[in-house]
Structure formats: C-alpha cells, structure tokens
mmCIF file of all heavy atoms in Angstrom:
data_model
loop_
_atom_site.group_PDB
_atom_site.id
_atom_site.type_symbol
_atom_site.label_atom_id
_atom_site.label_comp_id
_atom_site.label_asym_id
_atom_site.label_seq_id
_atom_site.Cartn_x
_atom_site.Cartn_y
_atom_site.Cartn_z
ATOM 1 N N SER I 8 15.767 -10.045 34.425
ATOM 2 C CA SER I 8 16.164 -9.152 35.532
ATOM 3 C C SER I 8 16.716 -7.931 35.060
ATOM 4 O O SER I 8 17.121 -7.937 33.824
ATOM 5 C CB SER I 8 16.813 -9.721 36.654
ATOM 6 O OG SER I 8 18.132 -10.132 36.144
ATOM 7 N N GLY I 9 16.862 -6.821 35.851
ATOM 8 C CA GLY I 9 17.527 -5.705 35.339
ATOM 9 C C GLY I 9 16.628 -4.437 35.433
ATOM 10 O O GLY I 9 15.683 -4.516 36.082
ATOM 11 N N SER I 10 16.974 -3.521 34.595
ATOM 12 C CA SER I 10 16.121 -2.243 34.557
ATOM 13 C C SER I 10 15.343 -2.160 33.254
ATOM 14 O O SER I 10 16.077 -2.089 32.143
ATOM 15 C CB SER I 10 17.043 -1.089 34.690
ATOM 16 O OG SER I 10 16.469 0.205 34.612
ATOM 17 N N PHE I 11 14.136 -2.164 33.377
ATOM 18 C CA PHE I 11 13.219 -1.954 32.103
ATOM 19 C C PHE I 11 11.907 -1.495 32.601
ATOM 20 O O PHE I 11 11.459 -1.685 33.745
ATOM 21 C CB PHE I 11 13.109 -3.309 31.418
ATOM 22 C CG PHE I 11 12.730 -4.484 32.291
ATOM 23 C CD1 PHE I 11 11.307 -4.810 32.547
ATOM 24 C CD2 PHE I 11 13.714 -5.287 32.727
ATOM 25 C CE1 PHE I 11 10.976 -5.857 33.370
ATOM 26 C CE2 PHE I 11 13.185 -6.366 33.524
ATOM 27 C CZ PHE I 11 11.939 -6.630 33.772
ATOM 28 N N PHE I 12 11.156 -0.876 31.688
ATOM 29 C CA PHE I 12 9.899 -0.442 31.889
ATOM 30 C C PHE I 12 8.804 -1.454 31.713
ATOM 31 O O PHE I 12 7.909 -1.632 32.420
ATOM 32 C CB PHE I 12 9.528 0.866 31.053
ATOM 33 C CG PHE I 12 8.119 1.277 31.130
ATOM 34 C CD1 PHE I 12 7.639 1.902 32.389
ATOM 35 C CD2 PHE I 12 7.227 1.247 30.165
ATOM 36 C CE1 PHE I 12 6.472 2.398 32.423
ATOM 37 C CE2 PHE I 12 6.019 1.672 30.171
ATOM 38 C CZ PHE I 12 5.564 2.232 31.414
ATOM 39 N N ARG I 13 9.011 -2.225 30.583
ATOM 40 C CA ARG I 13 7.939 -3.282 30.211
ATOM 41 C C ARG I 13 8.605 -4.386 29.464
ATOM 42 O O ARG I 13 9.337 -4.166 28.618
ATOM 43 C CB ARG I 13 6.788 -2.588 29.466
ATOM 44 C CG ARG I 13 5.905 -3.560 29.006
ATOM 45 C CD ARG I 13 4.862 -2.853 28.015
ATOM 46 N NE ARG I 13 4.156 -1.715 28.632
ATOM 47 C CZ ARG I 13 4.291 -0.464 28.266
ATOM 48 N NH1 ARG I 13 5.173 -0.117 27.279
ATOM 49 N NH2 ARG I 13 3.549 0.442 28.820
ATOM 50 N N LEU I 14 8.273 -5.552 29.836
ATOM 51 C CA LEU I 14 8.588 -6.740 28.942
ATOM 52 C C LEU I 14 7.481 -6.903 27.941
ATOM 53 O O LEU I 14 6.327 -7.117 28.378
ATOM 54 C CB LEU I 14 8.880 -7.990 29.783
ATOM 55 C CG LEU I 14 10.092 -8.049 30.650
ATOM 56 C CD1 LEU I 14 10.067 -9.288 31.470
ATOM 57 C CD2 LEU I 14 11.332 -7.862 29.890
ATOM 58 N N ASN I 15 7.771 -6.993 26.766
ATOM 59 C CA ASN I 15 6.823 -7.266 25.644
ATOM 60 C C ASN I 15 6.892 -8.759 25.364
ATOM 61 O O ASN I 15 6.662 -9.570 26.274
ATOM 62 C CB ASN I 15 7.034 -6.354 24.512
ATOM 63 C CG ASN I 15 6.999 -4.996 24.904
ATOM 64 O OD1 ASN I 15 6.011 -4.515 25.386
ATOM 65 N ND2 ASN I 15 8.079 -4.196 24.592
ATOM 66 N N ALA I 16 7.059 -9.141 24.048
ATOM 67 C CA ALA I 16 6.848 -10.467 23.736
ATOM 68 C C ALA I 16 8.195 -11.138 24.307
ATOM 69 O O ALA I 16 9.256 -10.651 24.341
ATOM 70 C CB ALA I 16 6.919 -10.648 22.236
ATOM 71 N N MET I 17 7.955 -12.446 24.663
ATOM 72 C CA MET I 17 9.196 -13.286 25.089
ATOM 73 C C MET I 17 9.058 -14.606 24.424
ATOM 74 O O MET I 17 7.922 -14.953 23.951
ATOM 75 C CB MET I 17 9.085 -13.478 26.627
ATOM 76 C CG MET I 17 9.062 -12.358 27.499
ATOM 77 S SD MET I 17 9.045 -12.591 29.312
ATOM 78 C CE MET I 17 10.740 -13.148 29.476
ATOM 79 N N GLY I 18 10.208 -15.224 24.167
ATOM 80 C CA GLY I 18 10.080 -16.487 23.449
ATOM 81 C C GLY I 18 11.308 -17.248 23.595
ATOM 82 O O GLY I 18 12.305 -16.982 24.371
ATOM 83 N N TRP I 19 11.337 -18.348 22.993
ATOM 84 C CA TRP I 19 12.397 -19.316 22.962
ATOM 85 C C TRP I 19 12.769 -19.657 21.496
ATOM 86 O O TRP I 19 11.988 -19.941 20.637
ATOM 87 C CB TRP I 19 11.988 -20.662 23.597
ATOM 88 C CG TRP I 19 11.864 -20.554 25.126
ATOM 89 C CD1 TRP I 19 10.788 -20.290 25.791
ATOM 90 C CD2 TRP I 19 12.913 -20.785 26.056
ATOM 91 N NE1 TRP I 19 10.954 -20.228 27.110
ATOM 92 C CE2 TRP I 19 12.333 -20.508 27.495
ATOM 93 C CE3 TRP I 19 14.273 -20.911 26.098
ATOM 94 C CZ2 TRP I 19 12.926 -20.579 28.578
ATOM 95 C CZ3 TRP I 19 14.887 -21.029 27.260
ATOM 96 C CH2 TRP I 19 14.251 -20.837 28.537
ATOM 97 N N TYR I 20 14.067 -19.603 21.314
ATOM 98 C CA TYR I 20 14.690 -19.899 20.087
ATOM 99 C C TYR I 20 15.730 -21.078 20.289
ATOM 100 O O TYR I 20 16.034 -21.346 21.420
ATOM 101 C CB TYR I 20 15.474 -18.746 19.527
ATOM 102 C CG TYR I 20 14.585 -17.696 18.931
ATOM 103 C CD1 TYR I 20 14.077 -16.823 19.841
ATOM 104 C CD2 TYR I 20 14.451 -17.435 17.618
ATOM 105 C CE1 TYR I 20 13.099 -15.745 19.306
ATOM 106 C CE2 TYR I 20 13.633 -16.336 17.162
ATOM 107 C CZ TYR I 20 13.093 -15.597 18.017
ATOM 108 O OH TYR I 20 12.230 -14.545 17.579
ATOM 109 N N ARG I 21 16.055 -21.693 19.322
ATOM 110 C CA ARG I 21 17.067 -22.835 19.459
ATOM 111 C C ARG I 21 17.903 -22.814 18.147
ATOM 112 O O ARG I 21 17.582 -22.424 17.052
ATOM 113 C CB ARG I 21 16.452 -24.182 19.624
ATOM 114 C CG ARG I 21 15.540 -24.689 18.377
ATOM 115 C CD ARG I 21 14.832 -26.028 18.813
ATOM 116 N NE ARG I 21 14.208 -26.572 17.584
ATOM 117 C CZ ARG I 21 13.324 -27.668 17.752
ATOM 118 N NH1 ARG I 21 13.188 -28.280 18.946
ATOM 119 N NH2 ARG I 21 12.725 -27.974 16.657
ATOM 120 N N GLN I 22 19.092 -23.456 18.323
ATOM 121 C CA GLN I 22 20.022 -23.555 17.375
ATOM 122 C C GLN I 22 20.606 -24.994 17.376
ATOM 123 O O GLN I 22 21.477 -25.228 18.429
ATOM 124 C CB GLN I 22 21.101 -22.464 17.248
ATOM 125 C CG GLN I 22 22.056 -22.601 16.094
ATOM 126 C CD GLN I 22 22.866 -21.376 15.889
ATOM 127 O OE1 GLN I 22 22.865 -20.505 16.886
ATOM 128 N NE2 GLN I 22 23.472 -21.175 14.813
ATOM 129 N N GLY I 23 20.312 -25.828 16.529
ATOM 130 C CA GLY I 23 20.931 -27.188 16.598
ATOM 131 C C GLY I 23 22.156 -27.344 15.735
ATOM 132 O O GLY I 23 22.535 -26.326 15.065
ATOM 133 N N PRO I 24 22.807 -28.514 15.868
ATOM 134 C CA PRO I 24 23.962 -28.679 15.187
ATOM 135 C C PRO I 24 23.784 -28.472 13.728
ATOM 136 O O PRO I 24 22.976 -29.138 12.980
ATOM 137 C CB PRO I 24 24.329 -30.111 15.482
ATOM 138 C CG PRO I 24 23.632 -30.384 16.763
ATOM 139 C CD PRO I 24 22.383 -29.751 16.616
ATOM 140 N N GLY I 25 24.593 -27.575 13.015
ATOM 141 C CA GLY I 25 24.625 -27.337 11.622
ATOM 142 C C GLY I 25 23.284 -26.634 11.200
ATOM 143 O O GLY I 25 23.034 -26.563 9.977
ATOM 144 N N LYS I 26 22.530 -26.128 12.152
ATOM 145 C CA LYS I 26 21.329 -25.456 11.780
ATOM 146 C C LYS I 26 21.442 -23.930 12.125
ATOM 147 O O LYS I 26 22.257 -23.495 12.954
ATOM 148 C CB LYS I 26 20.194 -26.038 12.653
ATOM 149 C CG LYS I 26 19.987 -27.477 12.347
ATOM 150 C CD LYS I 26 19.398 -27.799 10.983
ATOM 151 C CE LYS I 26 18.983 -29.225 10.732
ATOM 152 N NZ LYS I 26 18.258 -29.511 9.485
ATOM 153 N N GLN I 27 20.597 -23.160 11.493
ATOM 154 C CA GLN I 27 20.372 -21.810 11.882
ATOM 155 C C GLN I 27 19.432 -21.715 13.111
ATOM 156 O O GLN I 27 18.629 -22.550 13.347
ATOM 157 C CB GLN I 27 19.905 -20.948 10.728
ATOM 158 C CG GLN I 27 20.870 -20.747 9.535
ATOM 159 C CD GLN I 27 20.434 -19.883 8.593
ATOM 160 O OE1 GLN I 27 19.381 -19.990 7.965
ATOM 161 N NE2 GLN I 27 21.232 -18.791 8.194
ATOM 162 N N ARG I 28 19.567 -20.610 13.745
ATOM 163 C CA ARG I 28 18.760 -20.228 14.755
ATOM 164 C C ARG I 28 17.210 -20.115 14.229
ATOM 165 O O ARG I 28 16.910 -19.637 13.299
ATOM 166 C CB ARG I 28 19.063 -18.984 15.583
ATOM 167 C CG ARG I 28 18.232 -18.562 16.682
ATOM 168 C CD ARG I 28 18.592 -17.277 17.318
ATOM 169 N NE ARG I 28 18.108 -16.276 16.276
ATOM 170 C CZ ARG I 28 18.364 -14.903 16.433
ATOM 171 N NH1 ARG I 28 19.023 -14.490 17.536
ATOM 172 N NH2 ARG I 28 18.041 -14.025 15.470
ATOM 173 N N GLU I 29 16.362 -20.754 15.023
ATOM 174 C CA GLU I 29 14.876 -20.817 14.627
ATOM 175 C C GLU I 29 14.025 -20.480 15.917
ATOM 176 O O GLU I 29 14.375 -20.827 17.027
ATOM 177 C CB GLU I 29 14.464 -22.095 14.125
ATOM 178 C CG GLU I 29 14.599 -23.281 15.000
ATOM 179 C CD GLU I 29 14.058 -24.528 14.431
ATOM 180 O OE1 GLU I 29 13.432 -24.575 13.336
ATOM 181 O OE2 GLU I 29 14.256 -25.511 15.042
ATOM 182 N N LEU I 30 12.815 -19.853 15.645
ATOM 183 C CA LEU I 30 11.892 -19.675 16.641
ATOM 184 C C LEU I 30 11.237 -20.968 17.052
ATOM 185 O O LEU I 30 10.806 -21.679 16.148
ATOM 186 C CB LEU I 30 10.837 -18.717 16.046
ATOM 187 C CG LEU I 30 9.688 -18.417 17.113
ATOM 188 C CD1 LEU I 30 10.125 -17.586 18.318
ATOM 189 C CD2 LEU I 30 8.647 -17.654 16.378
ATOM 190 N N VAL I 31 11.236 -21.163 18.322
ATOM 191 C CA VAL I 31 10.484 -22.311 18.848
ATOM 192 C C VAL I 31 9.070 -21.960 19.334
ATOM 193 O O VAL I 31 8.141 -22.541 18.808
ATOM 194 C CB VAL I 31 11.235 -23.011 19.977
ATOM 195 C CG1 VAL I 31 10.479 -24.232 20.549
ATOM 196 C CG2 VAL I 31 12.682 -23.360 19.573
ATOM 197 N N ALA I 32 8.970 -20.956 20.133
ATOM 198 C CA ALA I 32 7.708 -20.470 20.663
ATOM 199 C C ALA I 32 7.906 -19.043 21.176
ATOM 200 O O ALA I 32 8.940 -18.771 21.672
ATOM 201 C CB ALA I 32 7.224 -21.429 21.787
ATOM 202 N N GLN I 33 6.828 -18.366 21.096
ATOM 203 C CA GLN I 33 6.800 -17.046 21.669
ATOM 204 C C GLN I 33 5.429 -16.632 22.265
ATOM 205 O O GLN I 33 4.529 -17.309 21.822
ATOM 206 C CB GLN I 33 7.248 -15.953 20.754
ATOM 207 C CG GLN I 33 6.290 -15.749 19.546
ATOM 208 C CD GLN I 33 6.718 -14.642 18.506
ATOM 209 O OE1 GLN I 33 6.496 -14.689 17.360
ATOM 210 N NE2 GLN I 33 7.444 -13.730 19.020
ATOM 211 N N ILE I 34 5.592 -15.722 23.195
ATOM 212 C CA ILE I 34 4.222 -15.357 23.794
ATOM 213 C C ILE I 34 4.298 -13.841 24.098
ATOM 214 O O ILE I 34 5.307 -13.280 24.521
ATOM 215 C CB ILE I 34 4.072 -16.175 25.162
ATOM 216 C CG1 ILE I 34 2.798 -15.831 25.745
ATOM 217 C CG2 ILE I 34 5.205 -15.927 26.186
ATOM 218 C CD1 ILE I 34 2.404 -16.812 26.971
ATOM 219 N N THR I 35 3.170 -13.319 23.768
ATOM 220 C CA THR I 35 3.024 -11.747 23.975
ATOM 221 C C THR I 35 2.582 -11.404 25.346
ATOM 222 O O THR I 35 2.302 -12.398 26.162
ATOM 223 C CB THR I 35 2.010 -11.234 23.045
ATOM 224 O OG1 THR I 35 0.716 -11.707 23.381
ATOM 225 C CG2 THR I 35 2.239 -11.730 21.627
ATOM 226 N N SER I 36 2.787 -10.116 25.676
ATOM 227 C CA SER I 36 2.272 -9.806 27.030
ATOM 228 C C SER I 36 0.894 -10.095 27.313
ATOM 229 O O SER I 36 0.438 -10.216 28.442
ATOM 230 C CB SER I 36 2.701 -8.338 27.112
ATOM 231 O OG SER I 36 1.917 -7.467 26.309
ATOM 232 N N GLY I 37 0.126 -10.237 26.139
ATOM 233 C CA GLY I 37 -1.334 -10.505 26.365
ATOM 234 C C GLY I 37 -1.646 -11.907 26.340
ATOM 235 O O GLY I 37 -2.809 -12.392 26.618
ATOM 236 N N GLY I 38 -0.605 -12.822 26.247
ATOM 237 C CA GLY I 38 -0.776 -14.260 26.279
ATOM 238 C C GLY I 38 -0.967 -14.911 24.838
ATOM 239 O O GLY I 38 -1.113 -16.199 24.938
ATOM 240 N N SER I 39 -0.969 -14.344 23.871
ATOM 241 C CA SER I 39 -1.100 -14.977 22.558
ATOM 242 C C SER I 39 0.270 -15.762 22.347
ATOM 243 O O SER I 39 1.308 -15.191 22.608
ATOM 244 C CB SER I 39 -1.225 -13.901 21.521
ATOM 245 O OG SER I 39 -2.488 -13.281 21.552
ATOM 246 N N THR I 40 0.168 -16.894 21.748
ATOM 247 C CA THR I 40 1.260 -17.650 21.430
ATOM 248 C C THR I 40 1.485 -18.060 20.030
ATOM 249 O O THR I 40 0.582 -18.079 19.248
ATOM 250 C CB THR I 40 1.203 -19.137 22.266
ATOM 251 O OG1 THR I 40 -0.004 -19.724 21.861
ATOM 252 C CG2 THR I 40 1.139 -18.763 23.752
ATOM 253 N N ASN I 41 2.774 -18.451 19.751
ATOM 254 C CA ASN I 41 3.079 -18.802 18.377
ATOM 255 C C ASN I 41 4.131 -19.930 18.519
ATOM 256 O O ASN I 41 5.042 -19.661 19.319
ATOM 257 C CB ASN I 41 3.655 -17.618 17.597
ATOM 258 C CG ASN I 41 4.040 -18.066 16.220
ATOM 259 O OD1 ASN I 41 3.144 -18.743 15.589
ATOM 260 N ND2 ASN I 41 5.109 -17.425 15.745
ATOM 261 N N TYR I 42 4.024 -20.870 17.733
ATOM 262 C CA TYR I 42 4.771 -22.164 17.893
ATOM 263 C C TYR I 42 5.398 -22.497 16.408
ATOM 264 O O TYR I 42 4.617 -22.338 15.445
ATOM 265 C CB TYR I 42 4.107 -23.295 18.464
ATOM 266 C CG TYR I 42 3.790 -23.239 19.865
ATOM 267 C CD1 TYR I 42 2.330 -22.816 20.163
ATOM 268 C CD2 TYR I 42 4.510 -23.493 20.874
ATOM 269 C CE1 TYR I 42 1.992 -22.631 21.459
ATOM 270 C CE2 TYR I 42 4.161 -23.368 22.215
ATOM 271 C CZ TYR I 42 2.920 -22.949 22.482
ATOM 272 O OH TYR I 42 2.463 -22.881 23.786
ATOM 273 N N ALA I 43 6.530 -23.017 16.493
ATOM 274 C CA ALA I 43 7.143 -23.641 15.295
ATOM 275 C C ALA I 43 6.217 -24.895 14.948
ATOM 276 O O ALA I 43 5.801 -25.590 15.846
ATOM 277 C CB ALA I 43 8.559 -24.016 15.421
ATOM 278 N N ASP I 44 6.082 -25.198 13.593
ATOM 279 C CA ASP I 44 5.248 -26.295 13.361
ATOM 280 C C ASP I 44 5.879 -27.618 13.963
ATOM 281 O O ASP I 44 5.016 -28.470 14.292
ATOM 282 C CB ASP I 44 5.157 -26.401 11.845
ATOM 283 C CG ASP I 44 4.253 -25.449 11.250
ATOM 284 O OD1 ASP I 44 3.393 -24.763 11.864
ATOM 285 O OD2 ASP I 44 4.342 -25.130 10.028
ATOM 286 N N SER I 45 7.171 -27.678 14.021
ATOM 287 C CA SER I 45 7.673 -28.902 14.428
ATOM 288 C C SER I 45 7.465 -29.220 15.979
ATOM 289 O O SER I 45 7.762 -30.308 16.316
ATOM 290 C CB SER I 45 9.311 -28.757 14.197
ATOM 291 O OG SER I 45 9.811 -27.679 14.925
ATOM 292 N N VAL I 46 7.064 -28.188 16.685
ATOM 293 C CA VAL I 46 6.796 -28.407 18.143
ATOM 294 C C VAL I 46 5.419 -28.412 18.482
ATOM 295 O O VAL I 46 5.125 -28.599 19.810
ATOM 296 C CB VAL I 46 7.726 -27.523 18.991
ATOM 297 C CG1 VAL I 46 9.169 -27.705 18.557
ATOM 298 C CG2 VAL I 46 7.303 -26.096 18.870
ATOM 299 N N LYS I 47 4.524 -27.923 17.629
ATOM 300 C CA LYS I 47 3.068 -27.788 18.067
ATOM 301 C C LYS I 47 2.608 -29.190 18.616
ATOM 302 O O LYS I 47 2.728 -30.218 18.107
ATOM 303 C CB LYS I 47 2.327 -27.339 16.822
ATOM 304 C CG LYS I 47 2.504 -25.919 16.366
ATOM 305 C CD LYS I 47 1.634 -25.576 15.236
ATOM 306 C CE LYS I 47 2.018 -24.151 14.647
ATOM 307 N NZ LYS I 47 1.134 -23.766 13.558
ATOM 308 N N GLY I 48 1.798 -29.056 19.724
ATOM 309 C CA GLY I 48 1.372 -30.153 20.307
ATOM 310 C C GLY I 48 2.186 -30.777 21.308
ATOM 311 O O GLY I 48 1.804 -31.721 22.124
ATOM 312 N N ARG I 49 3.535 -30.498 21.271
ATOM 313 C CA ARG I 49 4.528 -31.065 22.176
ATOM 314 C C ARG I 49 5.123 -30.083 23.230
ATOM 315 O O ARG I 49 5.244 -30.382 24.288
ATOM 316 C CB ARG I 49 5.533 -31.648 21.488
ATOM 317 C CG ARG I 49 5.155 -32.821 20.469
ATOM 318 C CD ARG I 49 6.396 -33.472 19.834
ATOM 319 N NE ARG I 49 7.283 -32.642 19.082
ATOM 320 C CZ ARG I 49 8.483 -32.308 19.316
ATOM 321 N NH1 ARG I 49 9.122 -32.908 20.431
ATOM 322 N NH2 ARG I 49 9.244 -31.409 18.558
ATOM 323 N N PHE I 50 5.083 -28.802 22.782
ATOM 324 C CA PHE I 50 5.722 -27.759 23.590
ATOM 325 C C PHE I 50 4.681 -26.865 24.076
ATOM 326 O O PHE I 50 3.803 -26.423 23.326
ATOM 327 C CB PHE I 50 6.977 -27.051 22.900
ATOM 328 C CG PHE I 50 8.110 -27.819 22.568
ATOM 329 C CD1 PHE I 50 8.145 -29.187 22.843
ATOM 330 C CD2 PHE I 50 9.282 -27.225 22.122
ATOM 331 C CE1 PHE I 50 9.243 -29.791 22.546
ATOM 332 C CE2 PHE I 50 10.344 -27.895 21.943
ATOM 333 C CZ PHE I 50 10.473 -29.286 21.977
ATOM 334 N N THR I 51 4.887 -26.243 25.260
ATOM 335 C CA THR I 51 3.917 -25.217 25.678
ATOM 336 C C THR I 51 4.676 -24.088 26.331
ATOM 337 O O THR I 51 5.567 -24.361 27.204
ATOM 338 C CB THR I 51 2.902 -25.718 26.651
ATOM 339 O OG1 THR I 51 2.134 -26.881 26.086
ATOM 340 C CG2 THR I 51 1.935 -24.588 27.160
ATOM 341 N N ILE I 52 4.457 -22.921 25.840
ATOM 342 C CA ILE I 52 5.131 -21.776 26.377
ATOM 343 C C ILE I 52 4.164 -21.041 27.373
ATOM 344 O O ILE I 52 2.940 -20.946 27.127
ATOM 345 C CB ILE I 52 5.649 -20.771 25.335
ATOM 346 C CG1 ILE I 52 6.591 -19.634 25.923
ATOM 347 C CG2 ILE I 52 4.471 -20.184 24.520
ATOM 348 C CD1 ILE I 52 7.216 -18.876 24.945
ATOM 349 N N SER I 53 4.694 -20.533 28.465
ATOM 350 C CA SER I 53 3.882 -19.761 29.408
ATOM 351 C C SER I 53 4.713 -18.572 30.154
ATOM 352 O O SER I 53 6.059 -18.717 29.958
ATOM 353 C CB SER I 53 3.410 -20.718 30.481
ATOM 354 O OG SER I 53 4.255 -21.337 31.149
ATOM 355 N N ARG I 54 4.063 -17.750 30.647
ATOM 356 C CA ARG I 54 4.909 -16.621 31.238
ATOM 357 C C ARG I 54 4.118 -16.210 32.583
ATOM 358 O O ARG I 54 2.933 -16.380 32.720
ATOM 359 C CB ARG I 54 5.035 -15.508 30.246
ATOM 360 C CG ARG I 54 3.791 -14.749 29.991
ATOM 361 C CD ARG I 54 3.984 -13.684 29.007
ATOM 362 N NE ARG I 54 4.898 -12.594 29.380
ATOM 363 C CZ ARG I 54 5.291 -11.652 28.593
ATOM 364 N NH1 ARG I 54 5.104 -11.718 27.288
ATOM 365 N NH2 ARG I 54 6.173 -10.648 29.081
#
C-alpha cells in the first residue's frame, strides 16, 4: 500500500538463526518466477 506508480518485481526473503538473508522466491510483474534451490518444488510464489 501507499503511493507508487508501479510495482515491479516482488519477492520473499528469509533470515534464519545465524544465517544471512537469502532470497526465497521472487516474481516479476510479468509472472516470471525464481526460487532458491532449497525450496523448489515445495514453495510457490504468486501475485
């Protein structure tokens, strides 16, 4: 929410205990997706 002209890519990151932040999944405005290898086949991102 808020004031913006366009939302572009959106995604999810995570940071576990003692870990650095990592990309989990992202999705472009056109619907292309990218997943971390560790979650492929288990997680699904949508917008």
Side-chain angles (χ1 to χ4, degrees):
S8 62
S10 179
F11 52 86
F12 175 69
R13 179 191 296 113
L14 292 177
N15 299 304
M17 303 183 74
W19 290 91
Y20 290 73
R21 68 185 181 188
Q22 187 166 12
K26 302 287 187 178
Q27 291 188 305
R28 184 188 64 185
E29 65 174 348
L30 173 69
V31 178
Q33 66 180 147
I34 184 168
T35 69
S36 60
S39 297
T40 58
N41 182 41
Y42 296 93
D44 289 340
S45 60
V46 307
K47 287 181 179 177
R49 300 188 297 120
F50 292 8
T51 303
I52 189 170
S53 61
R54 68 188 293 170

